[in-house]
Amino acid sequence: METSSSVSNKTITLEEWNGSTPTKLSKTFTIKASSSSVTITRSGARFSHVWRRLLEAFVPEGFPSSVTADYVPFQIWDSLQGLSTYIRTMLSTQALLSAIGVGEKSATVIGATFQWFLRDLTGMLGGILFTFYQGSNLDSNAKMWRLVADFMNDLGMLMDIISPLYPSAFVFVVCLGSISRSFTGVASGATRAALTQHFALQDNAADISAKEGSQETVATMIGMALGMLVARITIGYPLAIWCSFLSLTVFHMYANYRAVQCLALTSINPERSSILLQHFMESGQVLSPEQVSSQEHVLPIRFISWSPRNTNYMHNKVRLGTRISSFDNMEIKEHLLSAASYYTKAKYILVERKGIIDVIVHKDSNPADVLKSFFHALVLAKNVHKSKSLHSDGQKWIDSQYEVFIKKLKSLGWKTERLLSPIIWRAYWSYEPLEEKID
């Protein structure tokens, strides 16, 4: 047993380390103590610890290892576009209040209140209608709808700022702007939830969402201050107001485009599945999320239908979740019955009609079945004009290559649990032997 005197002659060293994960720790404080002396050493810059604590209010815990690599560039461009939005909000609000009659003796409180009520009411109704028609598509096309949402917000602001120019149609113009912004609220909120799940690497979606709120608050405060300054400088100068508004709008759309271009989503939607499968069938290799991101479009297809790189995407030739009531008697005999015999062991049936592959999904199919059915349909779509035995050749490819393809997708970080695409219509079928005719 050691005596108390021998223990007191020893020196102990204590180190303080900061960080939320074992791989991202930094030494901040060291103590060397003995019975005769105590030495204290602070590591790093004097204000480094304060800076780290301040940074923790705006970035998720464990940053950067707790988020995906595309988190930082996306947040930078997203903050810049938000800053532009808040500055323009001051200009559009100033124009809107002027049109309502704020500051004029002839304006009445009840009149202004009624106009504002109609504006909000139409916005609420517009949000409900947009959710009804497009709510199920927001998850599968998060990048596209994120960009569309901000475009609709720009359109709503434009309606507000031109409202004073049309006094007789003021209510109609501001209601159109309110409807446009209601689309923004629904689409932006829904796609933000999808992107937050993408960024979260350690089941920290709530933390990422909270820290984004802090980032947005700071951007809002800066934007409001700059907006008030711009509004003050440009008041009474219509040309200056329009130049400021339009230039900020152009920058806003550019920043949004750059933000969504930074995203390398790992979920599989129809377009990404088409890009992945086409490349795999041609080269035997699987593209990474970053490589696919550079090829997928972020604008609605109707805006870029002229682009040659999108015309050959196989997913445009596939209809997932086809209604069986869409087949007429002739199509049932010529297409459906002949195709069904190839899928007796599958939870789906693929039918080719006029170069389009219809996917009839069984009501008991699971997400893995749906994903397989879509990839199977893409194989048929690629060979629809090349193969005489379309269904037979497609089944051979699925039997020999599908599992290899899925394993390679998983190895590169793709989420192969499900296909991001809504299915409204399903079906049930069974096979029975034909009854023999009795003379």
Side-chain angles (χ1 to χ4, degrees):
M1 178 180 292
E2 291 185 298
T3 62
S4 59
S5 59
S6 63
V7 174
S8 61
N9 291 329
K10 290 185 176 181
T11 301
I12 185 172
T13 301
L14 299 175
E15 295 178 346
E16 177 185 78
W17 292 75
N18 178 257
S20 56
T21 58
T23 58
K24 298 291 181 180
L25 296 176
S26 58
K27 186 165 63 174
T28 60
F29 200 79
T30 305
I31 298 177
K32 289 185 177 180
S34 65
S35 59
S36 58
S37 64
V38 176
T39 303
I40 298 176
T41 305
R42 297 181 184 273
S43 303
R46 182 175 182 180
F47 299 103
S48 61
H49 180 65
V50 177
W51 169 248
R52 281 194 299 271
R53 296 296 296 175
L54 182 63
L55 191 64
E56 288 175 359
F58 299 97
V59 297
E61 184 178 354
F63 175 84
S65 60
S66 62
V67 293
T68 56
D70 52 4
Y71 175 80
V72 172
F74 175 82
Q75 291 301 127
I76 290 174
W77 285 110
D78 189 52
S79 298
L80 289 175
Q81 67 87 16
L83 191 64
S84 169
T85 297
Y86 304 131
I87 297 175
R88 289 178 301 136
T89 299
M90 297 299 295
L91 296 176
S92 62
T93 302
Q94 177 179 275
L96 184 62
L97 293 176
S98 173
I100 289 177
V102 174
E104 296 183 7
K105 295 181 179 180
S106 59
T108 63
V109 174
I110 189 63
T113 303
F114 181 70
Q115 291 172 345
W116 205 272
F117 168 76
L118 284 178
R119 174 176 175 267
D120 289 346
L121 179 62
T122 53
M124 295 174 189
L125 294 176
I128 294 174
L129 289 174
F130 181 76
T131 303
F132 177 74
Y133 282 105
Q134 291 293 341
S136 58
N137 292 321
L138 298 177
D139 222 14
S140 59
N141 294 297
K143 294 172 69 172
M144 183 191 75
W145 284 112
R146 173 76 182 182
L147 199 61
V148 171
D150 286 293
F151 173 77
M152 297 302 291
N153 189 41
D154 292 340
L155 188 60
M157 286 188 178
L158 181 63
M159 293 294 103
D160 287 345
I161 204 167
I162 67 173
S163 59
L165 303 179
Y166 303 95
S168 60
F170 167 75
V171 175
F172 177 74
V173 172
V174 296
C175 285
L176 283 180
S178 182
I179 292 174
S180 180
R181 273 193 302 274
S182 70
F183 296 168
T184 301
V186 175
S188 180
T191 54
R192 170 55 66 181
L195 296 182
T196 300
Q197 291 294 334
H198 161 70
F199 292 136
L201 291 180
Q202 300 177 357
D203 295 327
N204 57 339
D207 185 28
I208 291 175
S209 181
K211 298 305 169 55
E212 185 186 358
S214 298
Q215 298 168 18
E216 189 172 348
T217 299
V218 172
T220 302
M221 291 188 294
I222 297 174
M224 290 174 64
L226 293 177
M228 287 187 289
L229 177 62
V230 172
R232 179 65 179 174
I233 294 174
T234 59
I235 190 170
Y237 300 96
L239 182 60
I241 292 175
W242 277 103
C243 287
S244 300
F245 180 83
L246 293 177
S247 59
L248 287 169
T249 299
V250 171
F251 174 76
H252 175 256
M253 291 306 301
Y254 173 74
N256 271 292
Y257 180 78
R258 290 298 304 272
V260 296
Q261 282 288 86
C262 292
L263 294 172
L265 302 182
T266 56
S267 56
I268 296 179
N269 68 0
E271 184 184 6
R272 289 180 211 123
S273 63
S274 179
I275 296 172
L276 287 166
L277 184 64
Q278 189 161 344
H279 187 270
F280 179 76
M281 294 181 71
E282 294 172 355
S283 67
Q285 301 298 319
V286 170
L287 297 173
S288 67
E290 292 76 18
Q291 291 172 314
V292 172
S293 176
S294 64
Q295 297 186 34
E296 62 179 328
H297 71 79
V298 294
L299 296 173
I301 195 70
R302 60 182 177 272
F303 291 160
I304 54 170
S305 58
W306 50 267
S307 178
R309 74 174 187 173
N310 292 287
T311 56
N312 295 323
Y313 281 178
M314 298 180 294
H315 70 280
N316 294 324
K317 301 177 182 178
V318 176
R319 286 193 291 252
L320 182 63
T322 301
R323 299 176 63 180
I324 58 173
S325 59
S326 66
F327 292 85
D328 58 32
N329 291 343
M330 187 63 69
E331 289 174 332
I332 291 174
K333 293 178 180 180
E334 293 184 357
H335 302 289
L336 182 56
L337 287 179
S338 60
S341 60
Y342 291 94
Y343 306 98
T344 55
K345 296 181 180 180
K347 291 293 183 68
Y348 55 87
I349 297 176
L350 305 182
V351 182
E352 185 269 327
R353 291 189 291 178
K354 299 178 181 179
I356 301 297
I357 307 301
D358 290 307
V359 184
I360 303 174
V361 181
H362 196 281
K363 74 179 188 68
D364 296 329
S365 61
N366 57 37
D369 295 325
V370 174
L371 180 66
K372 185 176 182 179
S373 73
F374 195 79
F375 277 122
H376 196 161
L378 291 176
V379 174
L380 266 61
K382 183 173 177 60
N383 300 321
V384 68
H385 297 301
K386 303 176 183 178
S387 175
K388 294 182 179 180
S389 52
L390 184 64
H391 296 282
S392 179
D393 292 344
Q395 188 60 52
K396 289 179 182 178
W397 191 95
I398 290 294
D399 292 339
S400 62
Q401 297 293 323
Y402 182 71
E403 292 299 328
V404 176
F405 176 57
I406 292 297
K407 287 181 181 179
K408 288 187 175 183
L409 287 177
K410 290 181 179 179
S411 66
L412 288 180
W414 288 101
K415 297 178 181 178
T416 58
E417 296 82 12
R418 61 187 288 252
L419 175 74
L420 292 180
S421 183
I423 301 176
I424 306 300
W425 300 99
R426 294 175 180 257
Y428 174 82
W429 56 86
S430 61
Y431 297 92
E432 299 176 1
L434 292 175
E435 295 183 0
E436 294 184 0
K437 293 184 178 180
I438 302 175
D439 294 333

